Amino acid sequence: MDIQAHINEVWPKLHDLAEPAFKEVKTAAFLADFLRKLGYDVTENVGNTTALTAVLDSGKPGPTVAVRTDMDCLLFKNEDGSLEPIHACGHDAHMTIALGVAKLLKEQGLACGRVKILCQPAEEIGRGALAMLKAGALDDVQYALGYHVMPKDMARSGQIIAQINWTACTLMEGEIRGLAAHGSQPHLGVNAIDAGAAIVNAINALHSNPLLGGSIKTTRFMGGAGSLNAICDKVSIGFDLRSTSNAEMLELRRKVEEIVVNTAKVYGAEADCHIVGTCPAAEADPSVLALTQEVISA
Ligand SMILES: [Zn+2]
């Protein structure tokens, strides 16, 4: 297979199709058509979404190995406020790779088992994989391989690495409730901004294990929008938490919640904190990781 010819043929088309989460209709049709022509058994509209799977069966016993690509693009705001779909996260490249793998495997033939190409919608909003899981698309899969194009700084020793250590992410938000009072009588109120400021400092003193590359940041602090002579009684606060370890992420969430609730209490305020969104870090199968490493070296 001529890899460059494959890229030249497929990538510009996928790049131009650029459709956002769960709207990858033309993109999915293009992938389905390409895979069907190769001789793959294609199932479209998996889980009533734009997702599709394509299977190549050797007819001999063996595992089912999945190769996964995402399909959606990002939406950018133009100066006039209109939204423009652009493949800026590289999912056009991921799809080109998946089709290349499918073509190569068809040409070489499978020694055993089955290969299942997973074309996943809505990666950018974190819901496409879940939709495919719920539809049972991975029920017959023993091994799944994913990949992502990446700035070179992570692959210090070359062009490809066996594992990308994306971090787990948790977004949390909370509310600090004090007591309103007039600026001339601060002793009668509870200033939610004072409690909030102490919370931000305490959060900044939280540290993720440097080896795990995580971080905790205050990403929202809103309050006191009213009159300048009023003691603020409400602050809305938010945080972004990262860690490459799912175990550490659980710990960080617990600490953030503890800091928010207990620090507010010290100031005579009340506070709560809850999770708004979360995405776990991928945990690689050590045996597949070792094999991938071997293949890359070869
Ligand atoms: Zn991406």
Side-chain angles (χ1 to χ4, degrees), residues 9 67 78 83 100 123 136 140 149 162 166 183 187 203 210 234 236 275 291:
E9 179 205 332
V67 177
N78 289 319
L83 293 173
E123 186 273 343
D140 58 351
V149 288
W166 294 123
H187 60 295
I203 293 290
K234 205 189 278 179
S236 168
I275 294 166
L291 179 64

Coordinates of all heavy atoms in Angstrom, one line a residue, residues 9 67 78 83 100 123 136 140 149 162 166 183 187 203 210 234 236 275 291:
E9 N -5.4 11.0 -1.1 CA -6.7 10.7 -1.6 C -7.8 11.0 -0.6 O -8.8 11.5 -0.9 CB -6.8 9.2 -2.0 CG -8.2 8.7 -2.5 CD -8.4 7.2 -2.3 OE1 -7.4 6.4 -2.3 OE2 -9.6 6.8 -2.2
V67 N -9.9 -0.9 16.4 CA -9.1 0.3 16.1 C -10.1 1.4 16.1 O -11.1 1.4 15.3 CB -8.4 0.2 14.7 CG1 -7.6 1.4 14.4 CG2 -7.4 -1.0 14.7
N78 N -16.5 33.0 14.2 CA -15.9 34.1 13.3 C -16.2 35.4 14.0 O -16.9 35.6 14.9 CB -16.6 34.0 12.0 CG -16.2 32.8 11.2 OD1 -15.0 32.5 11.2 ND2 -17.1 32.1 10.5
L83 N -20.6 30.5 13.4 CA -19.8 29.4 13.8 C -19.2 28.6 12.6 O -20.0 28.4 11.6 CB -20.6 28.4 14.7 CG -21.0 29.0 16.0 CD1 -21.9 28.0 16.7 CD2 -19.8 29.3 16.9
G100 N -6.6 3.9 6.5 CA -5.3 3.3 6.0 C -5.1 1.9 6.7 O -4.7 1.0 6.0
E123 N -16.5 13.2 20.1 CA -15.4 13.1 21.1 C -15.3 14.4 21.8 O -15.0 14.4 23.0 CB -14.1 12.8 20.4 CG -12.9 12.5 21.3 CD -12.2 13.8 21.7 OE1 -12.3 14.8 21.0 OE2 -11.4 13.7 22.7
G136 N -23.5 -1.3 22.9 CA -22.8 -2.7 22.9 C -21.7 -2.8 21.8 O -21.3 -4.0 21.6
D140 N -18.0 -7.3 22.1 CA -17.3 -8.4 21.5 C -15.8 -8.1 21.3 O -15.1 -8.8 20.6 CB -18.0 -8.8 20.2 CG -18.0 -7.7 19.2 OD1 -17.7 -6.5 19.5 OD2 -18.3 -7.9 18.0
V149 N -3.1 12.4 17.2 CA -2.0 13.2 16.7 C -1.6 14.2 17.9 O -2.5 14.5 18.7 CB -2.3 14.0 15.5 CG1 -2.3 13.1 14.3 CG2 -3.6 14.8 15.6
A162 N 4.2 4.9 22.4 CA 3.2 3.8 22.6 C 2.0 4.3 23.4 O 0.9 3.8 23.2 CB 3.9 2.6 23.3
W166 N -2.7 11.4 28.4 CA -3.7 12.4 28.6 C -4.1 12.4 30.1 O -4.2 11.3 30.7 CB -4.9 12.2 27.8 CG -4.8 12.2 26.3 CD1 -5.1 11.2 25.5 CD2 -4.3 13.3 25.5 NE1 -4.8 11.6 24.2 CE2 -4.4 12.9 24.2 CE3 -3.9 14.6 25.8 CZ2 -4.0 13.7 23.1 CZ3 -3.5 15.4 24.8 CH2 -3.6 15.0 23.4
G183 N -21.9 48.3 54.0 CA -20.5 48.5 54.2 C -20.1 49.2 55.5 O -19.0 49.1 55.9
H187 N -19.5 44.1 60.5 CA -19.6 43.2 61.6 C -20.9 42.4 61.6 O -21.1 41.4 62.3 CB -19.3 43.8 63.0 CG -20.3 44.9 63.3 ND1 -20.4 46.1 62.5 CD2 -21.3 45.0 64.2 CE1 -21.4 46.8 63.0 NE2 -21.9 46.2 64.1
I203 N -6.8 26.3 47.8 CA -6.7 25.5 46.6 C -5.4 25.6 45.9 O -4.8 24.6 45.5 CB -7.8 26.0 45.5 CG1 -9.2 25.7 46.1 CG2 -7.6 25.3 44.2 CD1 -9.6 24.2 46.2
P210 N 4.0 15.8 41.1 CA 4.6 16.3 39.9 C 4.8 15.2 38.9 O 4.8 15.4 37.7 CB 5.9 16.9 40.3 CG 5.8 17.1 41.8 CD 4.8 16.1 42.3
K234 N -22.9 36.4 48.2 CA -22.8 35.2 47.4 C -21.7 35.2 46.4 O -21.5 36.2 45.6 CB -24.2 35.0 46.6 CG -24.5 33.6 46.2 CD -25.6 33.4 45.3 CE -27.0 33.5 46.0 NZ -28.1 33.4 45.1
S236 N -19.9 32.7 43.3 CA -19.9 31.4 42.6 C -18.5 31.1 42.2 O -17.7 32.0 41.7 CB -20.8 31.7 41.3 OG -20.6 30.6 40.4
I275 N -19.5 18.2 41.3 CA -18.9 17.9 40.0 C -19.8 18.2 38.9 O -21.0 17.8 38.9 CB -18.5 16.4 39.9 CG1 -17.4 16.1 40.9 CG2 -18.0 16.0 38.5 CD1 -17.2 14.6 41.2
L291 N 3.6 -4.7 23.6 CA 3.6 -5.1 22.2 C 3.7 -3.9 21.2 O 4.4 -3.9 20.3 CB 2.3 -5.9 21.9 CG 2.1 -6.4 20.5 CD1 3.2 -7.4 20.1 CD2 0.7 -7.0 20.3

